[in-house]
Amino acid sequence: MPISPQAYRPEAKLLDLGDGFFDPVAPADFPETRTRFRNDRAAAQIGVDTLTDDEWTRHFGRFEPLPGTLPQPVALRYHGHQFRNYNPDLGDGRGFTFAQMRDDRGRLMDLGTKGSGQTPWSRAGDGRLTLKGGVREILATELLEALNVPTSRTLSLIETGEELQRGDEPSPTRSAVLVRLNHSHVRIGSFQRLAYHRDEAALRKLVGYTLRNLYDEDSDDPVRLLGLVVGRTARLAARYMAAGFVHGVLNSDNINVTGESFDYGPWRFAPTWDPAFTAAYFDHQGLYAFGRQPEAIHWDVMQLAVALRQIAESDPLVAALDQFGPRYQSEVTEAILWRLGVRPRDPDTDRDLVQATERALRTSGVGIDRFFFDAFGGDLPGTYDEPWAEVRAALASYEPRKDRSHPYWSGEPCSMLIDEVEAIWVPIAEHDDWTALNAKVAVIRGMSQALAD
């Protein structure tokens, strides 16, 4: 197979944990495998961009093992709080991890799936993914990556030729299998499961695995791990806010210990800075509303601290956990300044600008993407009158971090509201026309170039 010998660096570190952490599984035997999305940009970072089309479908649709990595797929075991209710009956139910490798930054990466068939943890589910769900995940991951949010990337989407029955989509609907590239699928819920079973030896083993393989630290210290997770998850919460993104289901089994967003179900981008805006129709209490996401992620990290209490003293764990608030405030300031396209000045001045921006967005009802497009570089147009006077005055003292010479700035802001998601799906569903999706991905990647440092 034409894998790039310089870029492809396979690993199988997950096997070091042993059988108690996962179950070997077999992929579903799909009627067909038809590639619908191939992310060669992400593939190049792990050395698989040179695969032929046939090899691509064999490895990412039939799941023939990649050389030098896991000999067969494994479904990970975990527990988790789902909408604050503990569920010990969880695990990979429609996905698995089937390969590990180093990326071009030297990070250990997982290739995981969604829609690859039933596992011991499927319960009553069919283990499948709708094609529409796969299209939605492409759009979410592409835009989040462009907006500087730590996220999994959609590597591949392959249509599989089955008809699925779903209560939330017109059925029968088309099926697909998705492959995501992620910096670990070790979740907070992975630790919760071991604490639930009071398996201290396994907890210590998972702490060591995480620190050495995911943080490059030669340590087995659970307090150190918690401190690192606090920092990464505070950054994730902050960048969700700056992006105007609502994940929808921030359960503890959906938060990984590297602070990377993944597993996109009922996500939304908020049209305006509305703290009460929700993504999931079943989130009746607004637990995971836009403005409550930092609180939700902090609560999940608290559950990691509770799990680690079995192998560490409480006081240092509490001290590490208490850093979430200050880290979040620092991270959200940095994230919003990045999106404003200006260079930081000093902490107090930067914080004042960010707070003024949040107030004006909340009270004015101006679209989030519209505002950040217009304000990029610090020169707010004259059409922004009250309540933008404070923001305009504050921005005047900032230097731009990048100019507006990229062609993106001569057009309109790139958004991804729910109506557009549906509009992109309709021609695929009705005419098998992928033009709108491909065009949107191209626009998003253009915006990414315009925003990038």
Side-chain angles (χ1 to χ4, degrees), residues 204 221-223 305 307-317:
R204 294 183 189 278
D221 182 3
V223 176
L308 294 175
R309 176 63 185 86
Q310 290 195 15
I311 57 173
E313 295 297 321
S314 293
D315 288 350
L317 289 172

Side-chain angles (χ1 to χ4, degrees), residues 163-360:
E163 292 188 343
L164 304 179
Q165 297 292 327
R166 291 292 185 269
D168 56 353
E169 290 186 31
S171 296
T173 189
R174 293 151 70 180
S175 60
V177 62
L178 179 143
V179 176
R180 70 165 68 100
L181 179 64
N182 217 51
H183 185 36
S184 173
H185 286 81
V186 176
R187 301 154 164 85
I188 288 175
S190 306
F191 291 85
Q192 288 181 280
R193 172 182 166 270
L194 300 175
Y196 179 89
H197 291 298
R198 307 196 67 81
D199 192 340
E200 294 186 7
L203 266 174
R204 294 183 189 278
K205 193 172 190 178
L206 188 56
V207 168
Y209 170 91
T210 303
L211 283 169
R212 281 189 288 275
N213 293 297
L214 305 179
Y215 283 100
D216 297 321
E217 297 212 356
D218 186 15
S219 172
D220 298 287
D221 182 3
V223 176
R224 176 61 177 161
L225 174 62
L226 181 62
L228 291 166
V229 174
V230 163
R232 291 284 187 88
T233 53
R235 179 182 67 176
L236 175 63
R239 294 191 184 180
Y240 274 173
M241 298 304 291
F245 181 72
V246 188
H247 183 282
V249 187
L250 292 175
N251 297 331
S252 61
D253 57 300
N254 283 340
I255 305 294
N256 70 10
V257 292
T258 55
E260 204 172 39
S261 181
F262 74 109
D263 200 13
Y264 300 100
W267 60 268
R268 296 283 190 276
F269 282 90
T272 61
W273 199 276
D274 176 6
F277 181 83
T278 57
Y281 68 87
F282 45 82
D283 187 3
H284 303 297
Q285 305 303 315
L287 183 64
Y288 299 143
F290 175 53
R292 296 186 66 183
Q293 291 183 117
E295 169 200 340
I297 292 174
H298 183 216
W299 192 92
D300 287 329
V301 180
M302 287 174 59
Q303 308 319 304
L304 176 60
V306 171
L308 294 175
R309 176 63 185 86
Q310 290 195 15
I311 57 173
E313 295 297 321
S314 293
D315 288 350
L317 289 172
V318 171
L321 191 62
D322 283 347
Q323 291 304 303
F324 186 95
R327 285 298 298 271
Y328 171 77
Q329 291 301 328
S330 174
E331 292 284 354
V332 78
T333 299
E334 179 181 315
I336 289 180
L337 289 179
W338 181 88
R339 200 160 182 203
L340 283 167
V342 297
R343 299 184 184 280
R345 289 185 53 199
D346 63 80
D348 290 339
T349 304
D350 295 343
R351 192 179 308 111
D352 289 345
L353 170 59
V354 166
Q355 290 175 350
T357 298
E358 290 178 347
R359 284 194 299 271

